[in-house]
Amino acid sequence: QQSTGVVSRKTLTSAGANSRSSPRTADSPRVAASTAASEDEHDSNTHNSTQQPLVSSSSSVARSAVATSDVIISGSGDCGDRNGNKSKHCERPAIVFLRTRIAVLCLLLVSAVVGLITAQSYFNGQPDIPGCAMSYSRPRFVEQTKFDNSWTRFSTKYKLYLYREGGYDAHDEAFRIPILFVPGNAGSHKQVRSIASASATAFMELANNSPDVFDRGQIGYDYFTVGLNEELTALHGYSILEQADFINDAIRYILSLYPETRAKYRLPSQGTRFALPTSVVVVGHSMGGVVARTAFTLPNHIVGSVQAIFTLSTPHNNPTASLEYYVDKVYSSVNSFWRHGFHNGTLDDVSLVSIAGGNLDSMINSDYTYIGDLAPPKNSLSILSSGVDDVWLSLDHQSILWCAQMAKKFSSMLIQIMDARQPSQLLPLDERMSIMRRQLYSDWERGANAAPESLATNRTTNDDYSYVYVHRDGAARLVPEDMQKLLSGDKTNNAGLGVALHLLPVNRATSNSTAQLVYDPRLFATALASGSIAVYQPVLLGCNRIKVASNSAKPETSVTCQTIPAPLPTKLPMRRADDDPELPLYALHYMEVPVSVLEQFEFLGMQLPAKPG
């Protein structure tokens, strides 16, 4: 027992001596005090070692550990233990620190590289190059001070203005056809100036070239615009409802102005009577288009007060940022109303046009602007600005309002559909939809003539066509130049008729609800003797094979066809590998035919006209 105590003391004394002899710990009062205390306590334990040997031994080991640990802690430059061995744990903090520093630097480097690549792609790698010309105007805004709290509960929050173009509008009262502009998320009432100025210019040009313009009911537009306090309607559902409520009140006030002003400002016409307006044309930008459609669902909406809505870069299908529950709820309720409104007769006379900016619009996904699932084709039209004839440009979210090419084309379309002789101040639905398609679509649809006599609605035998071809794989790969030779009589069964029938097999086992048909519109264009181009709408046929008796022993196979409803085509802009990048994007045409219509037929047929003479 005593020897145990002596060994412990030697060990402790040695550790203490080492600590005192170390130049890095000699001045450490903590080590000196710890060593002295350990010796005193050891002497006491040695004196009582006979009675408590186990306690003395364990205490000595513990004290040795404490002393040794004190030496390691105080000796910051020497990571050795009491036997002089290096401790690997002393190197770990430095290594971890170094590795962490390297990892952070690598992460920052990768982030910087990704950021530079993204910026390069965004600013210099866009597939569509901005090509808008700047538009100019001489705007003046007349606040409608009489539109106060007797008309709307939001008179102190929102404002209504009448746009006046310098050099064109001599009066501060509205007496022409009313149009209401609704700005979008954080938008301003002043954003109407480019379109309003272009409309004034377009009408003056029309009036100078057509003396009978007033007799046709074309008297120009008066643009009203609303200041909506630049609210963030994309993020707040209640703001959409409040603005829509204000829009309905503004329309009611605008219509109340015309009994007095139409009598006060008489327009030059030869006995033409202009009807008092019962509806207002609405143009909405971005979320303004959603607000315009929401107005139809509110109790203060006057049925028939809006029969034409034009939206520019409006997210109709989904909100751009679903940050609030009530925004999604408003969207769901409004879209449900519009889907059912065309079936229950509520929206029968309403036309809805959606124009999207395309690739350069980084705020609104162009897919969100599609309205084909909200309104039937006879009431609606969806198109990208890059597919609009005479524009052919992708437009960002703001330039779709001020781009000179777009403003000019949009105003020209509006001028063509006005008719102040009607209470709606517009042409009937079918007529104005036809004009809008001709105005917005390419030259191949513009000025289309009636289908020629040879394109009859029913055919019974192959002899009725110059050429009949069955496309086995369901895809007709036709080159326009070759087709013109084919249809004019070369390589045909009967050169005198000049009508070709192409048959695409119907897949009756498909699970799809529609059959997609993509075709080149130039196949339906023929050059006339006058040098102009006649463009025909495609005729779709449902065809079945029949057996026809013949003089030979083997009966001949022919087809019998009947016309099927042809949906209006939409444009499918594309750039092929051999196209000149300096030229506008070429557009194919696209149709969707319900499979239920084709189930009773073996083939989907298309008739193509021949080149006369």
Side-chain angles (χ1 to χ4, degrees):
Q1 294 176 350
Q2 290 181 355
S3 62
T4 303
V6 171
V7 171
S8 301
R9 180 169 184 173
K10 287 182 179 180
T11 303
L12 184 59
T13 303
S14 174
N18 290 335
S19 66
R20 286 191 297 271
S21 63
S22 174
R24 284 185 289 270
T25 60
D27 297 332
S28 174
R30 179 181 175 187
V31 175
S34 176
T35 305
S38 299
E39 291 178 350
D40 293 342
E41 186 177 354
H42 181 71
D43 291 340
S44 175
N45 288 337
T46 304
H47 180 73
N48 299 321
S49 61
T50 305
Q51 289 79 11
Q52 298 176 343
L54 296 178
V55 174
S56 173
S57 176
S58 61
S59 299
S60 299
V61 175
R63 285 191 299 271
S64 299
V66 171
T68 302
S69 64
D70 286 342
V71 172
I72 294 174
I73 294 173
S74 61
S76 60
D78 186 4
C79 290
D81 58 10
R82 61 185 179 181
N83 295 324
N85 298 323
K86 285 277 187 177
S87 175
K88 62 180 181 179
H89 300 289
C90 294
E91 299 176 352
R92 182 173 299 172
I95 295 174
V96 170
F97 176 78
L98 183 60
R99 290 177 178 174
T100 302
R101 179 69 62 86
I102 294 174
V104 171
L105 291 177
C106 290
L107 181 60
L108 292 176
L109 180 61
V110 171
S111 300
V113 171
V114 172
L116 290 175
I117 294 175
T118 303
Q120 167 69 16
S121 173
Y122 183 82
F123 291 107
N124 300 321
Q126 290 286 350
D128 296 308
I129 301 175
C132 275
M134 179 58 66
S135 58
Y136 299 92
S137 61
R138 291 172 288 180
R140 186 166 58 88
F141 298 91
V142 181
E143 182 179 349
Q144 302 299 292
T145 55
K146 293 182 179 180
F147 185 49
D148 52 20
N149 56 8
S150 63
W151 287 94
T152 177
R153 58 194 177 112
F154 297 107
S155 60
T156 58
K157 186 177 183 181
Y158 305 135
K159 299 297 180 182
L160 177 66
Y161 300 89
L162 174 64
Y163 177 88
R164 300 282 88 178
E165 176 71 10
Y168 172 70
D169 293 307
H171 307 285
D172 289 346
E173 294 179 295
F175 57 93
R176 303 184 184 94
I177 297 174
I179 285 187
L180 178 63
F181 175 76
V182 185
N185 181 67
S188 169
H189 66 280
K190 297 180 180 180
Q191 291 176 307
V192 72
R193 57 186 179 269
S194 295
I195 296 176
S197 178
S199 293
T201 302
F203 178 73
M204 285 189 290
E205 292 177 353
L206 178 64
N208 291 333
N209 297 327
S210 302
D212 61 341
V213 61
F214 293 101
D215 295 331
R216 298 196 303 266
Q218 295 174 313
I219 63 175
Y221 286 107
D222 284 316
Y223 277 82
F224 290 85
T225 179
V226 290
L228 299 177
N229 209 22
E230 298 187 6
E231 290 182 337
L232 302 178
T233 48
L235 307 178
H236 193 213
Y238 279 103
S239 293
I240 298 176
L241 295 178
E242 290 177 351
Q243 292 182 10
D245 187 280
F246 178 78
I247 293 302
N248 283 332
D249 292 336
I251 291 173
R252 182 165 55 93
Y253 170 80
I254 291 171
L255 295 177
S256 71
L257 300 175
Y258 281 82
E260 179 181 351
T261 57
R262 279 281 172 91
K264 183 177 180 180
Y265 302 102
R266 295 190 177 276
L267 297 168
S269 62
Q270 298 177 356
T272 302
R273 295 179 60 87
F274 300 125
L276 291 178
T278 60
S279 70
V280 175
V281 178
V282 176
V283 177
H285 173 242
S286 188
M287 289 299 295
V290 177
V291 171
R293 291 198 301 115
T294 303
F296 280 74
T297 68
L298 301 184
N300 66 337
H301 175 69
I302 302 174
V303 177
S305 61
V306 177
Q307 295 195 13
I309 298 180
F310 298 89
T311 64
L312 306 172
S313 295
T314 294
H316 288 286
N317 293 307
N318 296 285
T320 54
S322 298
L323 302 181
E324 188 198 36
Y325 161 75
Y326 210 75
V327 173
D328 293 328
K329 186 176 180 181
V330 169
Y331 261 86
S332 177
S333 175
V334 171
N335 287 345
S336 176
F337 174 88
W338 276 76
R339 289 190 182 99
H340 292 88
F342 292 101
H343 298 288
N344 58 27
T346 306
L347 304 173
D348 281 350
D349 297 324
V350 178
S351 59
L352 179 62
V353 175
S354 175
I355 303 176
N359 292 332
L360 289 183
D361 191 341
S362 58
M363 296 185 65
I364 302 297
N365 188 328
S366 295
D367 292 340
Y368 289 177
T369 66
Y370 179 68
I371 55 176
D373 59 341
L374 298 176
K378 72 181 185 68
N379 296 80
S380 64
L381 188 157
S382 297
I383 192 170
L384 296 175
S385 60
S386 57
V388 175
D389 187 33
D390 296 334
V391 178
W392 305 114
L393 292 171
S394 180
L395 306 175
D396 65 52
H397 197 61
Q398 299 299 330
S399 66
I400 198 170
L401 287 173
W402 59 257
C403 179
Q405 295 95 317
M406 188 67 207
K408 182 178 180 181
K409 189 65 180 181
F410 187 73
S411 301
S412 175
M413 176 188 64
L414 291 177
I415 294 296
Q416 296 298 321
I417 65 172
M418 67 168 63
D419 187 357
R421 298 170 298 179
Q422 309 294 330
S424 65
Q425 306 294 286
L426 297 169
L427 294 172
L429 175 66
D430 293 340
E431 191 173 349
R432 70 173 179 264
M433 289 299 300
S434 177
I435 291 175
M436 288 188 291
R437 289 190 177 93
R438 290 203 304 269
Q439 286 287 317
L440 296 178
Y441 287 161
S442 70
D443 291 336
W444 300 107
E445 290 90 0
R446 182 181 301 156
N449 297 323
E453 296 263 340
S454 56
L455 295 182
T457 57
N458 287 281
R459 301 290 184 178
T460 56
T461 67
N462 292 1
D463 294 334
D464 291 321
Y465 294 98
S466 300
Y467 185 80
V468 177
Y469 186 80
V470 179
H471 300 273
R472 300 296 181 184
D473 60 352
R477 297 176 178 85
L478 308 176
V479 180
E481 292 76 12
D482 294 342
M483 286 302 302
Q484 291 296 340
K485 296 179 182 178
L486 177 69
L487 296 175
S488 61
D490 297 338
K491 302 178 183 178
T492 60
N493 298 330
N494 187 342
L497 296 178
V499 179
L501 175 66
H502 291 264
L503 300 176
L504 301 174
V506 175
N507 181 11
R508 300 179 182 179
T510 181
S511 59
N512 298 328
S513 59
T514 59
Q516 289 78 33
L517 180 64
V518 180
Y519 64 92
D520 190 332
R522 293 180 296 178
L523 298 175
F524 294 90
T526 62
L528 302 177
S530 61
S532 61
I533 295 178
V535 185
Y536 303 97
Q537 294 292 336
V539 176
L540 296 186
L541 303 172
C543 303
N544 290 311
R545 285 178 290 192
I546 60 173
K547 297 294 183 180
V548 180
S550 66
N551 297 329
S552 60
K554 186 177 181 180
E556 294 181 357
T557 301
S558 185
V559 291
T560 179
C561 304
Q562 65 183 63
T563 55
I564 60 176
L568 291 171
T570 56
K571 298 174 69 63
L572 189 65
M574 62 175 294
R575 191 180 294 282
R576 297 169 293 191
D578 56 345
D579 286 345
D580 187 347
E582 299 298 328
L583 295 177
L585 284 177
Y586 181 70
L588 295 178
H589 283 193
Y590 171 79
M591 287 184 181
E592 286 191 352
V593 183
V595 171
S596 58
V597 175
L598 301 175
E599 289 178 344
Q600 55 183 315
F601 303 109
E602 295 180 70
F603 301 99
L604 172 63
M606 290 191 72
Q607 295 181 138
L608 302 180
K611 181 172 67 175

